[in-house]
Each structure stands twice: as C-alpha cells, then as structure tokens.
Amino acid sequence: MTVKNSFRNGSIKEMPIFSNVIYQGDDLIYKNNPLKPDEFYTPILQGCYPDPALTRKGDDYYMVCSSFAMFPGVPIFHSKDLVNWTDLGGVLNKVSEFNPHDTGISQGVYAPSITYNPHNDTFYMIVTAFTGGMGNIIVKTKDPMKGWGSPIKLGFDGIDPCIFFDDNGKGYIVHNDAPDKGKALYEGHRVIKVWEYDLVNDKVIPGSDKIIVDGGVDLSKKPIWIEAPHLYKKDGRYYLMCAEGGTGDNHSEVIFISDNPKGPFKPASNNPILTQRYFPQNRTDKVDWAGHADLVLGPDNKYYGVFLGIRPNDKNRVNTGRETFMLPVDWSGIFPVFENGLVPLEPKIKMPKGVTENKTGKDGFFPNGNFTFTENFTSEKLDYRWIGLRGPRESFSTVTKKGLQIKPFEVNIKEVKPTSTLFYRQQHNTFSFASTIDYKPASEKDLAGIVCLQSERFNYVFGITKKGKDTYVVLQRTDKGQSKIVASTKIEIKKNIRLQVKATGDSYQFSYALNGVNFENLGGSVSGDILSTNVAGGFTGALVGLYATAANDAHAE
C-alpha cells in the first residue's frame, strides 16, 4: 500500500519503522526430548491455533483453525504427509466480506470445519461468525491454494457446524445447538442437530433438522457442552464424533454410531476416546484440555486425529492458548481410539510410515519445537504468521527499504477497534521477542513499541513516547481494563532503539537498548498472569506485537 501524506499534518517522521525482529523459543521440554529421525513434535501448531479440522484430497491435506477477531479469519495449512505443513494464510481475507472491526478478541470466527466433496470436486469451509450478523456461513473453492469464494449465510442457529457428504452425494450439516424451547434441563445442556443440505442452492433444507444427540453420551449424568460434531462413514456405518465437557479441565472426545446419518446414534461403550482429565494436576510437562478433534486417513493408510490441548506454564496458567496436537488413531475395531490419548500426552510421536523427512522449520515449512523466527521485512509479502486484529495488516503497514513502517491509528490497544499493531502468536512459555525501532515521537499522544496482549482489557504496552520535550521509555500494565504505569525512564535517542520482552514461564521482563546491544531492564520482573486465559478469560492465546498509536495513554511518570 502507499502511504498518504494526510496523516497528522503530513509528518511521515512520526511513523515508526520496525526492523530486525527476532522471536526465539526456548522451552525445556524440547531440550529434554530431542527428536529421533522417525519422530515429530506435537503440538504441530504451537500458540493460539485451536479447534483444528482437516480434510484430504488425494495426497493433499488441508487443515483449518479458529482465529476469533484476528485477521484474516480461519488460518489454513497444507501438507502432503501430516508432518510438514505450509501456512497458506487465512480463508476469510477480504474485509468487505468478513469484518470483525467492532468485536472483542474472543468473538469473530471460531470452530471451523473443512470437507472435500469428491462428487463435485469442491472444498467446503463452514464456520460460525460472531460479527456483522453473519452467523453460520460456508465458503467454497476448487483449489484452496487459489483462494475461496464469498461467504454464503446459512439459515440455522447454533455453533460448530460441520458438513458431510455421503457416498451417494447427499450432503448433511451437523452442529451444536440449544435444546428445543423449554427443554433445557441444566446449565450447559446442549444438543447436536443434523440437517439435509441442498448442494445446488447451498442451503439447509427447511424442516429437515433433527436432534441426534441430546445432552451427550448419558443425559442422566448431566453432560455439558456437547459440541464440535464431525460425521464420518466407515464400513457402511455412520460415526458422529463430538467434544464433551467444555473446553477446559473436563474436556474430552466422544463417539456415537448409527446406520443412518440422521440417527438414531448410539454412544460407544468405551467413551471418552480422548481426554486428559483423569490425571494429577501437578504432573510434569502437563498437557490438558484435550478435545475438539477431527480424523483423517493418513498417507500410510492409518487414521490420525488432530485436536486442541494446552500446555500451562510454571504457575499452571495458560499463556500460549489452545494449540493443535496430533495423535495416531487405531480404528481397527468398531470404534476409533486415539493411541495414547487416555494417558498423559507425550511431546512427540512417530511419523507416518513412508514419511522419511521432518522438514518443519525448513524450506518454508511451519516450524515447531524450539525455533528462531527472524524477520527483516525484506520480502514484499509479509509472512502469514504476522496478523492483524479486527482488520487487515495492510491497512497500516508498508514494507520500506529500512524495514516495516506502521502508520499509527488514533486508536489505543484497549479499544474494540482495528489497531495499528502487527501481531505474532506467543508459541512458547519461555521465549524472547525483540525489534529495532526507528522512531521519534512528537507528543505524549504518540507511542511505538512492543505490546504483549491477551485481550483489549489485559495487556502490557512497552514503548517510546514523549513527556514535554523529553523522550521516555514506558511500561504500562492493563488489568481488567484498568491501566497503570509500572515504570518509565527518560532516554536520549541518538540512533535506533531496540526493545525486547523475555519470558520465562510466568516471569516477563521488558528491556531496551539505546545502542542496540546493551539491554537495560525497565520495571523488573512482572507477572504474565494478565496474559493467561485463567486471569483474562476468553478463548485466545497471548499475542506479541509491533504497536504504534496516535492515541497513547501510557504517560511517563
């Protein structure tokens, strides 16, 4: 994009330029569990990539995740082998069609599903959008590499929709919904519904809806939050797999069977088929909250499942959000079972037979484990790991010869509006994130720097601003929407300044270097509590970002 000289009396000097950004992950679990040649790490997607779903066409696999108010919506990945994944960006990438500009960070879109229909050689992505009155929507494409069609609104309520195509070409949609009016028995009582789908007109067939699961596996036990349904067909029978227990400590995956896609569905006797809820809370290298899964036939003709889980930090808090894990699935009997999904989860699994190389982090493949991501903003196209919040990153960022220039909006990070912040997901409990900034603020309303954000109401701002004629570095903590200055110090900028945040579990430290090398800490060690789901609530993980604003309220003291 081109920068117009209309901003703030045309002064481009007030626009910060960010360069040499380095994110470095350093979690102990990866040092203690080095990979053998036939292994790969799980989670396969670290950081806030929850609610995974995937599909297969030939030897191509496509996987999607929730993104809430992040932009673009619904991240999508491609793989040939389930081990090595390429980031394709977001499915909903046109702000004219998906615009979460006025939604809290945990709204937007979530719980997508992706299905390939061999009968018409078309991919379908279906999702619930909590913005702009969209509700449940579906988009289609012949080739996910080339983009997607416009969203089509679907006429039903509820969340977590999934589309399924039978051998005869008929389409069905299953989703979570409230019980019929007056039938709710307790808090968290939900049902799974099925609709027949009109493929010609892309809509559910009115009056075809039917409740196929009421409450969950056993209604007498008052199960809560039956959701995230997926329909499968194997050996002539229909399987309905759902999450049950809510996306927290009690999360699990359960399965039902039927001779008909419209039921009746009978639960398996060995439910749940995946959960981490039975183990001691203080176990080492804990993975928890496992559930919200999807299955696919792997390249070795064996089934695999992706699902969400969390890896808490040293204070048992969740800062990295819900991540995408994978396990092999044994479907040699009537019901599928996640292999080692009912024992404490391990950090690595065996690659599918026939897959000979783990290329994660190389040749353009998405990294996992401990890795370093260096961004010099020399490429015309930004890496897809950089995202906007409530709006496209292109509306405020421009790649220049010196680095990335951010045009500051007159919007504060605490506002429920698109912000001029380029975000990156926190993917490790122990990490560092640093950037060099070329910037001279003009007034106390101007600030540029780094933000660590769980939501608009819970975040840290660490940046350069003005107080009178002096320049300051300031650290602000916002808890429940209430901000306070942790520390500030007067500086003299003679050349570019380097800002850094380092976290070791719950302990976060913010530092600056006036010469780019010798870092000075500001504010001591501060708690990452407000960057956790436990304290901030919501459904997302922590983000770190390059932030600029012309509506700064972090005033030096």
mmCIF file of all heavy atoms in Angstrom, residues 75-97:
data_model
loop_
_atom_site.group_PDB
_atom_site.id
_atom_site.type_symbol
_atom_site.label_atom_id
_atom_site.label_comp_id
_atom_site.label_asym_id
_atom_site.label_seq_id
_atom_site.Cartn_x
_atom_site.Cartn_y
_atom_site.Cartn_z
ATOM 1 N N PRO A 75 -7.186 -19.459 9.829
ATOM 2 C CA PRO A 75 -5.909 -19.872 9.254
ATOM 3 C C PRO A 75 -6.020 -21.234 8.589
ATOM 4 O O PRO A 75 -6.743 -22.108 9.075
ATOM 5 C CB PRO A 75 -4.965 -19.942 10.454
ATOM 6 C CG PRO A 75 -5.736 -19.556 11.648
ATOM 7 C CD PRO A 75 -7.141 -19.279 11.268
ATOM 8 N N ILE A 76 -5.312 -21.387 7.468
ATOM 9 C CA ILE A 76 -5.363 -22.651 6.723
ATOM 10 C C ILE A 76 -3.945 -23.109 6.378
ATOM 11 O O ILE A 76 -3.085 -22.284 6.043
ATOM 12 C CB ILE A 76 -6.250 -22.523 5.462
ATOM 13 C CG1 ILE A 76 -6.303 -23.860 4.706
ATOM 14 C CG2 ILE A 76 -5.831 -21.365 4.569
ATOM 15 C CD1 ILE A 76 -7.421 -23.955 3.683
ATOM 16 N N PHE A 77 -3.728 -24.412 6.504
ATOM 17 C CA PHE A 77 -2.415 -25.021 6.284
ATOM 18 C C PHE A 77 -2.547 -26.181 5.300
ATOM 19 O O PHE A 77 -3.600 -26.820 5.211
ATOM 20 C CB PHE A 77 -1.844 -25.549 7.599
ATOM 21 C CG PHE A 77 -1.565 -24.471 8.603
ATOM 22 C CD1 PHE A 77 -2.567 -23.970 9.414
ATOM 23 C CD2 PHE A 77 -0.288 -23.941 8.735
ATOM 24 C CE1 PHE A 77 -2.315 -22.970 10.335
ATOM 25 C CE2 PHE A 77 -0.019 -22.937 9.650
ATOM 26 C CZ PHE A 77 -1.038 -22.453 10.450
ATOM 27 N N HIS A 78 -1.451 -26.462 4.594
ATOM 28 C CA HIS A 78 -1.422 -27.556 3.620
ATOM 29 C C HIS A 78 -0.270 -28.505 3.933
ATOM 30 O O HIS A 78 0.804 -28.068 4.368
ATOM 31 C CB HIS A 78 -1.250 -26.998 2.202
ATOM 32 C CG HIS A 78 -0.949 -28.052 1.178
ATOM 33 N ND1 HIS A 78 0.332 -28.290 0.690
ATOM 34 C CD2 HIS A 78 -1.756 -28.953 0.572
ATOM 35 C CE1 HIS A 78 0.287 -29.287 -0.190
ATOM 36 N NE2 HIS A 78 -0.962 -29.705 -0.273
ATOM 37 N N SER A 79 -0.509 -29.798 3.726
ATOM 38 C CA SER A 79 0.543 -30.793 3.929
ATOM 39 C C SER A 79 0.363 -31.941 2.939
ATOM 40 O O SER A 79 -0.731 -32.202 2.449
ATOM 41 C CB SER A 79 0.488 -31.348 5.358
ATOM 42 O OG SER A 79 1.482 -32.337 5.559
ATOM 43 N N LYS A 80 1.459 -32.623 2.674
ATOM 44 C CA LYS A 80 1.414 -33.846 1.856
ATOM 45 C C LYS A 80 1.560 -35.096 2.714
ATOM 46 O O LYS A 80 1.391 -36.210 2.220
ATOM 47 C CB LYS A 80 2.564 -33.834 0.835
ATOM 48 C CG LYS A 80 2.423 -32.797 -0.268
ATOM 49 C CD LYS A 80 1.499 -33.288 -1.366
ATOM 50 C CE LYS A 80 1.534 -32.399 -2.591
ATOM 51 N NZ LYS A 80 0.534 -32.816 -3.583
ATOM 52 N N ASP A 81 1.898 -34.912 4.017
ATOM 53 C CA ASP A 81 2.283 -36.081 4.805
ATOM 54 C C ASP A 81 1.856 -36.014 6.279
ATOM 55 O O ASP A 81 2.231 -36.873 7.062
ATOM 56 C CB ASP A 81 3.801 -36.275 4.727
ATOM 57 C CG ASP A 81 4.579 -35.002 5.107
ATOM 58 O OD1 ASP A 81 4.003 -34.137 5.802
ATOM 59 O OD2 ASP A 81 5.743 -34.881 4.690
ATOM 60 N N LEU A 82 1.111 -34.967 6.678
ATOM 61 C CA LEU A 82 0.653 -34.722 8.055
ATOM 62 C C LEU A 82 1.765 -34.284 9.010
ATOM 63 O O LEU A 82 1.499 -33.942 10.154
ATOM 64 C CB LEU A 82 -0.061 -35.952 8.653
ATOM 65 C CG LEU A 82 -1.340 -36.394 7.959
ATOM 66 C CD1 LEU A 82 -1.927 -37.616 8.682
ATOM 67 C CD2 LEU A 82 -2.376 -35.276 7.908
ATOM 68 N N VAL A 83 3.017 -34.276 8.530
ATOM 69 C CA VAL A 83 4.152 -33.878 9.381
ATOM 70 C C VAL A 83 4.581 -32.454 9.044
ATOM 71 O O VAL A 83 4.735 -31.611 9.928
ATOM 72 C CB VAL A 83 5.344 -34.844 9.194
ATOM 73 C CG1 VAL A 83 6.565 -34.358 9.979
ATOM 74 C CG2 VAL A 83 4.953 -36.254 9.616
ATOM 75 N N ASN A 84 4.789 -32.201 7.765
ATOM 76 C CA ASN A 84 5.313 -30.922 7.289
ATOM 77 C C ASN A 84 4.172 -30.078 6.717
ATOM 78 O O ASN A 84 3.532 -30.470 5.738
ATOM 79 C CB ASN A 84 6.384 -31.181 6.227
ATOM 80 C CG ASN A 84 7.480 -32.107 6.744
ATOM 81 O OD1 ASN A 84 8.185 -31.773 7.675
ATOM 82 N ND2 ASN A 84 7.599 -33.297 6.143
ATOM 83 N N TRP A 85 3.937 -28.920 7.330
ATOM 84 C CA TRP A 85 2.795 -28.071 6.975
ATOM 85 C C TRP A 85 3.247 -26.722 6.441
ATOM 86 O O TRP A 85 4.207 -26.138 6.939
ATOM 87 C CB TRP A 85 1.898 -27.852 8.203
ATOM 88 C CG TRP A 85 1.230 -29.109 8.660
ATOM 89 C CD1 TRP A 85 1.713 -30.031 9.554
ATOM 90 C CD2 TRP A 85 -0.041 -29.611 8.225
ATOM 91 N NE1 TRP A 85 0.819 -31.058 9.697
ATOM 92 C CE2 TRP A 85 -0.269 -30.836 8.911
ATOM 93 C CE3 TRP A 85 -1.023 -29.140 7.340
ATOM 94 C CZ2 TRP A 85 -1.430 -31.591 8.713
ATOM 95 C CZ3 TRP A 85 -2.180 -29.890 7.149
ATOM 96 C CH2 TRP A 85 -2.369 -31.105 7.828
ATOM 97 N N THR A 86 2.534 -26.239 5.445
ATOM 98 C CA THR A 86 2.779 -24.905 4.881
ATOM 99 C C THR A 86 1.617 -23.999 5.250
ATOM 100 O O THR A 86 0.449 -24.373 5.118
ATOM 101 C CB THR A 86 2.881 -24.978 3.338
ATOM 102 O OG1 THR A 86 3.824 -25.973 2.982
ATOM 103 C CG2 THR A 86 3.323 -23.640 2.768
ATOM 104 N N ASP A 87 1.938 -22.795 5.707
ATOM 105 C CA ASP A 87 0.943 -21.794 6.094
ATOM 106 C C ASP A 87 0.416 -21.101 4.832
ATOM 107 O O ASP A 87 1.184 -20.483 4.089
ATOM 108 C CB ASP A 87 1.617 -20.780 7.029
ATOM 109 C CG ASP A 87 0.633 -19.846 7.711
ATOM 110 O OD1 ASP A 87 -0.503 -19.714 7.237
ATOM 111 O OD2 ASP A 87 1.023 -19.233 8.725
ATOM 112 N N LEU A 88 -0.889 -21.216 4.586
ATOM 113 C CA LEU A 88 -1.491 -20.587 3.403
ATOM 114 C C LEU A 88 -2.196 -19.278 3.728
ATOM 115 O O LEU A 88 -2.867 -18.701 2.876
ATOM 116 C CB LEU A 88 -2.496 -21.547 2.739
ATOM 117 C CG LEU A 88 -1.979 -22.917 2.292
ATOM 118 C CD1 LEU A 88 -3.089 -23.708 1.616
ATOM 119 C CD2 LEU A 88 -0.791 -22.763 1.351
ATOM 120 N N GLY A 89 -2.082 -18.797 4.962
ATOM 121 C CA GLY A 89 -2.751 -17.545 5.323
ATOM 122 C C GLY A 89 -4.116 -17.803 5.925
ATOM 123 O O GLY A 89 -4.298 -18.736 6.694
ATOM 124 N N GLY A 90 -5.092 -16.965 5.564
ATOM 125 C CA GLY A 90 -6.437 -17.098 6.121
ATOM 126 C C GLY A 90 -7.473 -17.263 5.034
ATOM 127 O O GLY A 90 -7.354 -16.685 3.943
ATOM 128 N N VAL A 91 -8.508 -18.059 5.319
ATOM 129 C CA VAL A 91 -9.583 -18.291 4.342
ATOM 130 C C VAL A 91 -10.391 -17.012 4.125
ATOM 131 O O VAL A 91 -10.701 -16.629 2.995
ATOM 132 C CB VAL A 91 -10.503 -19.429 4.829
ATOM 133 C CG1 VAL A 91 -11.717 -19.573 3.906
ATOM 134 C CG2 VAL A 91 -9.738 -20.750 4.902
ATOM 135 N N LEU A 92 -10.756 -16.338 5.234
ATOM 136 C CA LEU A 92 -11.592 -15.128 5.147
ATOM 137 C C LEU A 92 -10.679 -13.904 5.171
ATOM 138 O O LEU A 92 -10.393 -13.335 6.211
ATOM 139 C CB LEU A 92 -12.583 -15.099 6.316
ATOM 140 C CG LEU A 92 -13.518 -16.317 6.429
ATOM 141 C CD1 LEU A 92 -14.316 -16.255 7.719
ATOM 142 C CD2 LEU A 92 -14.452 -16.404 5.226
ATOM 143 N N ASN A 93 -10.201 -13.513 3.982
ATOM 144 C CA ASN A 93 -9.179 -12.464 3.932
ATOM 145 C C ASN A 93 -9.644 -11.181 3.257
ATOM 146 O O ASN A 93 -8.838 -10.298 2.988
ATOM 147 C CB ASN A 93 -7.902 -12.995 3.262
ATOM 148 C CG ASN A 93 -8.173 -13.556 1.876
ATOM 149 O OD1 ASN A 93 -9.219 -13.277 1.290
ATOM 150 N ND2 ASN A 93 -7.248 -14.336 1.355
ATOM 151 N N LYS A 94 -10.942 -11.078 2.979
ATOM 152 C CA LYS A 94 -11.474 -9.836 2.407
ATOM 153 C C LYS A 94 -12.287 -9.119 3.476
ATOM 154 O O LYS A 94 -13.297 -9.640 3.946
ATOM 155 C CB LYS A 94 -12.354 -10.134 1.190
ATOM 156 C CG LYS A 94 -11.649 -10.815 0.036
ATOM 157 C CD LYS A 94 -12.590 -10.930 -1.165
ATOM 158 C CE LYS A 94 -11.971 -11.781 -2.258
ATOM 159 N NZ LYS A 94 -12.168 -13.208 -2.048
ATOM 160 N N VAL A 95 -11.850 -7.911 3.842
ATOM 161 C CA VAL A 95 -12.535 -7.187 4.907
ATOM 162 C C VAL A 95 -13.950 -6.788 4.486
ATOM 163 O O VAL A 95 -14.822 -6.559 5.323
ATOM 164 C CB VAL A 95 -11.693 -5.970 5.363
ATOM 165 C CG1 VAL A 95 -11.813 -4.819 4.381
ATOM 166 C CG2 VAL A 95 -12.042 -5.550 6.768
ATOM 167 N N SER A 96 -14.210 -6.759 3.178
ATOM 168 C CA SER A 96 -15.563 -6.450 2.696
ATOM 169 C C SER A 96 -16.533 -7.598 2.974
ATOM 170 O O SER A 96 -17.745 -7.404 2.997
ATOM 171 C CB SER A 96 -15.535 -6.173 1.190
ATOM 172 O OG SER A 96 -15.003 -7.295 0.497
ATOM 173 N N GLU A 97 -15.968 -8.805 3.225
ATOM 174 C CA GLU A 97 -16.817 -9.981 3.451
ATOM 175 C C GLU A 97 -16.755 -10.504 4.887
ATOM 176 O O GLU A 97 -17.685 -11.144 5.353
ATOM 177 C CB GLU A 97 -16.406 -11.096 2.477
ATOM 178 C CG GLU A 97 -16.653 -10.726 1.044
ATOM 179 C CD GLU A 97 -16.236 -11.802 0.062
ATOM 180 O OE1 GLU A 97 -15.474 -12.722 0.440
ATOM 181 O OE2 GLU A 97 -16.674 -11.732 -1.089
#
